[in-house]
Amino acid sequence: MMKSAIIFLFLVINTLNIKAQDPNWSVNTAGYQYSMTFTSFLNSNGTTLSSTDDRVAAFVNDEIRGVANVVYVASVHKYVAYLSVYANTDNETISFKMYDSVNDVVIDVDKTQNFVIDGNVGGVFQSYSIAKPALNNEAVLNSFGFVGVSNESQTIVNNKINVVLPIDTAITNLVAEFSLSDGARFFVENVKQISGVTEQDFTNPILYKIVSEDESKLLEYEVHVTLGNVNTEIPELVLLTDETSFVKQVPLIVNLKTNVAIYGLKKESISLSNAVVLSINKLDEFNYSLQIVPIQQGLFSIEIFANSVFNNENAGNLISNKLFYTYDLISPYVLSIKREKPTNEITNSHTLEFTVIFNEAVENVTASVFETISNTTINVTKETDAKYKVTIAAVNNYLGVVSLNIKSVNDIKDRAGNVLINSTIKITQN
């Protein structure tokens, strides 16, 4: 009897010693040509393994192909295992086992993955789930609201949550309350949100990310909060600018005014020719400032497509007005000067008449910008924006060369404000 008891006690102690030992998992990486990496998290019975003694192993046909311990990533407050798996053949079936060091057990996981040469699965934020039992793969937003505030209206369309709150609501410190599918989590800028606890400033739209319990699925919801009654008016967009149609200073500022609050305005909403959108700045609910940069000299334009932005009821906008501009950096110059044949064929004419043609439309061409011999009169007549008639009168008492000059300091400019490249005209009077 004593001998049987001693044998039984020996078997119990031996069994306990075997259980207390970590699994002797190791892999000879030199024996394989290829690798595949997993950024994973381990979960046993709904609890994420978080000890540095916890580990995961990968197998192919019961042959160990990779081992990794759990590490803590402080930037995301998360425990992950960086697992490298090795093989000589593509598309082999990988199975997994976990070691739970707290409970000192090895767990077979009911999950497999095909080996992909140089494959990379999972990331720190959205990791590959190795769990038993398997975790929920749904990412569903069941409800969304705010603590202590009654919505005037709420719509969820195309992953955009539009909430209208009473006009006197302070939206800079709202606490969201929400319901998600089992095990799913809500994040803002990778910071976990707690329903009924986490506070946010909703002056501008906030992007929420919902991640399923097994982290295989991620959805984004953009939350827009506005105040006052729901406005069902169709958005009407008007483009305005203080600039003339000819510009040389860039970027060009174009203002956008709307009749109702809108959402969804982005660079892709704006139709441009020979130009790009540098930035969009929201001034308030009804006003935006757009910075536009022409691509090259010449004509460019801007308008906003219909149904590019939406009101709180998800009604699309009407097409906006269209603005045209000319981008001009080149200074104007005199293209040609021609002395006109006088109508009076008398040799000693009292006047000299010329046609001055510029290469483009110019402004400020007056008698004061010309200079010639003294005791004469200069008259300028505009025939077109680029063509002017210049008459020098009372030259009958002068003999010799008559010079007609454009003063070095003058106000002649093109419509974009580029100053004239100076020219000198010399005329001989007989």
Side-chain angles (χ1 to χ4, degrees):
M1 182 69 179
M2 179 64 69
K3 183 177 181 180
S4 298
I6 292 172
I7 292 173
F8 175 75
L9 180 60
F10 172 79
L11 291 174
V12 170
I13 293 173
N14 190 52
T15 301
L16 290 173
N17 287 335
I18 292 173
K19 181 183 178 185
Q21 294 177 349
D22 291 352
N24 187 24
W25 290 335
S26 64
V27 58
N28 180 15
T29 60
Y32 302 97
Q33 300 181 63
Y34 310 114
S35 66
M36 177 181 184
T37 59
F38 294 81
T39 301
S40 60
F41 74 99
L42 314 182
N43 188 285
S44 174
N45 294 317
T47 300
T48 298
L49 301 189
S50 58
S51 170
T52 55
D53 292 326
D54 297 331
R55 66 187 65 173
V56 61
F59 296 83
V60 174
N61 297 326
D62 295 326
E63 178 184 0
I64 190 166
R65 295 292 185 86
V67 181
N69 281 61
V70 169
V71 297
Y72 178 66
V73 182
S75 61
V76 289
H77 306 290
K78 187 176 182 182
Y79 295 90
V80 300
Y82 297 107
L83 175 65
S84 294
V85 181
Y86 301 89
N88 290 319
T89 305
D90 198 18
N91 209 37
E92 290 185 315
T93 300
I94 305 168
S95 60
F96 304 94
K97 293 183 180 182
M98 298 183 295
Y99 173 63
D100 179 351
S101 63
V102 173
N103 296 302
D104 197 16
V105 292
V106 174
I107 304 164
D108 291 316
V109 179
D110 301 325
K111 184 176 188 177
T112 60
Q113 181 77 32
N114 288 342
F115 182 87
V116 177
I117 295 173
D118 297 328
N120 185 10
V121 180
V124 173
F125 178 72
Q126 193 176 358
S127 306
Y128 182 77
S129 168
I130 299 177
K132 187 171 184 178
L135 302 177
N136 189 4
N137 64 357
E138 293 183 330
V140 178
L141 176 63
N142 296 316
S143 65
F144 186 91
F146 296 105
V147 174
V149 183
S150 298
N151 299 345
E152 290 192 1
S153 72
Q154 182 187 93
T155 59
I156 302 178
V157 179
N158 297 328
N159 292 87
K160 290 182 173 61
I161 304 174
N162 301 294
V163 183
V164 180
L165 301 179
I167 191 67
D168 58 349
T169 305
I171 64 174
T172 57
N173 56 349
L174 292 174
V175 176
E177 53 185 356
F178 46 84
S179 172
L180 310 175
S181 52
D182 290 343
R185 289 162 293 163
F186 237 177
F187 295 87
V188 173
E189 295 181 350
N190 295 349
V191 176
K192 185 179 178 181
Q193 305 294 290
I194 307 300
S195 178
V197 175
T198 310
E199 183 179 284
Q200 293 286 353
D201 180 354
F202 285 86
T203 303
N204 295 307
I206 291 183
L207 184 66
Y208 280 82
K209 297 178 182 179
I210 177 173
V211 182
S212 61
E213 184 181 36
D214 70 351
E215 300 187 12
S216 65
K217 184 176 293 185
L218 182 149
L219 294 177
E220 294 183 344
Y221 287 88
E222 192 173 73
V223 179
H224 295 251
V225 175
T226 55
L227 300 178
N229 297 324
V230 177
N231 196 329
T232 57
E233 290 184 71
I234 294 176
E236 297 179 6
L237 312 183
V238 179
L239 296 171
L240 305 166
T241 183
D242 294 331
E243 300 289 341
T244 64
S245 58
F246 289 81
V247 297
K248 68 173 183 177
Q249 300 293 332
V250 293
L252 172 70
I253 304 300
V254 176
N255 297 312
L256 169 62
K257 187 177 181 62
T258 74
N259 62 325
V260 295
I262 60 173
Y263 70 89
L265 179 63
K266 50 190 176 182
K267 293 180 180 181
E268 293 76 15
S269 309
I270 302 172
S271 173
L272 294 158
S273 64
N274 188 33
V276 295
V277 179
L278 188 63
S279 67
I280 300 175
N281 182 31
K282 182 178 179 180
L283 305 178
D284 56 42
E285 290 296 324
F286 307 101
N287 293 278
Y288 294 79
S289 177
L290 316 176
Q291 285 192 323
I292 310 299
V293 178
I295 297 173
Q296 59 186 5
Q297 293 201 108
L299 188 68
F300 67 100
S301 65
I302 175 174
E303 66 180 330
I304 299 180
F305 294 123
N307 299 315
S308 297
V309 299
F310 304 88
N311 66 9
N312 292 324
E313 293 293 288
N314 207 41
N317 65 287
L318 302 174
I319 190 170
S320 76
N321 60 311
K322 190 171 185 177
L323 298 180
F324 294 90
Y325 301 92
T326 298
Y327 183 41
D328 183 6
L329 294 177
I330 299 176
S331 294
Y333 56 90
V334 176
L335 189 63
S336 68
I337 304 168
K338 179 182 178 182
R339 181 178 175 182
E340 299 297 335
K341 184 177 180 180
T343 55
N344 186 348
E345 294 294 343
I346 300 175
T347 303
N348 294 322
S349 175
H350 293 182
T351 62
L352 296 174
E353 190 175 275
F354 300 87
T355 298
V356 180
I357 300 177
F358 296 89
N359 68 309
E360 61 177 307
V362 292
E363 301 172 345
N364 305 325
V365 181
T366 64
S368 63
V369 304
F370 294 97
E371 59 183 0
T372 185
I373 60 176
S374 60
N375 301 319
T376 57
T377 301
I378 300 175
N379 295 305
V380 177
T381 303
K382 177 179 176 180
E383 296 190 346
T384 69
D385 289 335
K387 183 179 179 181
Y388 293 81
K389 181 180 291 184
V390 180
T391 302
I392 305 174
V395 297
N396 54 308
N397 294 322
Y398 182 82
L399 295 177
V401 176
V402 178
S403 295
L404 176 65
N405 302 318
I406 296 178
K407 295 177 181 177
S408 59
V409 178
N410 61 76
D411 295 327
I412 299 177
K413 300 177 181 179
D414 63 16
R415 291 175 176 174
N418 298 301
V419 299
L420 178 73
I421 298 176
N422 235 334
S423 302
T424 300
I425 312 165
K426 289 187 176 181
I427 309 102
T428 301
Q429 165 63 18
N430 295 327

